[in-house]
Each structure stands twice: as C-alpha cells, then as structure tokens.
Amino acid sequence: MDRKNFAFDKTNFILLAIGMAVVVVGFLLMTGPASSDTVYEPDIFSARRIKVAPVVCLLGFVSMIYAVVRKPKD
C-alpha cells in the first residue's frame, strides 16, 4: 500500500498522543478531595483546580486539533 494514501503520518500520531497525555494530566490536576454535607473542603476552590487544570486541558485539546489538521509531509 502506498504511504501517500494515509491521512496521518508518524508525526501526526505522536502529536495526537502527546495532546491526549496533556488532557489526561489536566484532568488529573482537577482531582482532589470533595466536599460533602458534613465537611467543607476549601481545596475545591484552589487555583490548581479552577485555573491551571482547565488551561492545561484546553492546550491539550488544541494540540490534538492541530495534530488532526496538520498535513503530512510528502
């Protein structure tokens, strides 16, 4: 089979995997203790969970979109 018929090349798959890993790291940054009816946990409003993790996820999704849209080199 001719390589020119493929939509993705090796670099596209690597970029896609890196983007997926960044998204997973972003979701892991969002995890932490939860509040309940009896216990209030102020960590739910930490900067890591409110600001940093969503930005990391957004960067991961943008890099995945780039990996899909990127045209393979001939």
Side-chain angles (χ1 to χ4, degrees):
M1 188 175 263
D2 190 19
R3 288 187 154 262
K4 292 184 180 184
N5 291 335
F6 291 120
F8 287 172
D9 63 353
K10 183 178 178 181
T11 307
N12 288 81
F13 285 114
I14 291 171
L15 291 173
L16 197 60
I18 290 170
M20 194 176 305
V22 170
V23 171
V24 168
V25 167
F27 278 106
L28 288 175
L29 287 172
M30 284 188 218
T31 62
S35 290
S36 64
D37 291 335
T38 58
V39 177
Y40 172 70
E41 184 62 48
D43 189 44
I44 62 172
F45 299 112
S46 69
R48 176 183 58 102
R49 293 174 82 175
I50 299 294
K51 297 176 184 172
V52 176
V55 171
V56 171
C57 286
L58 179 67
L59 291 175
F61 284 124
V62 168
S63 67
M64 287 173 63
I65 291 170
Y66 172 73
V68 170
V69 174
R70 180 186 170 274
K71 183 177 180 182
K73 305 274 193 246
D74 287 335

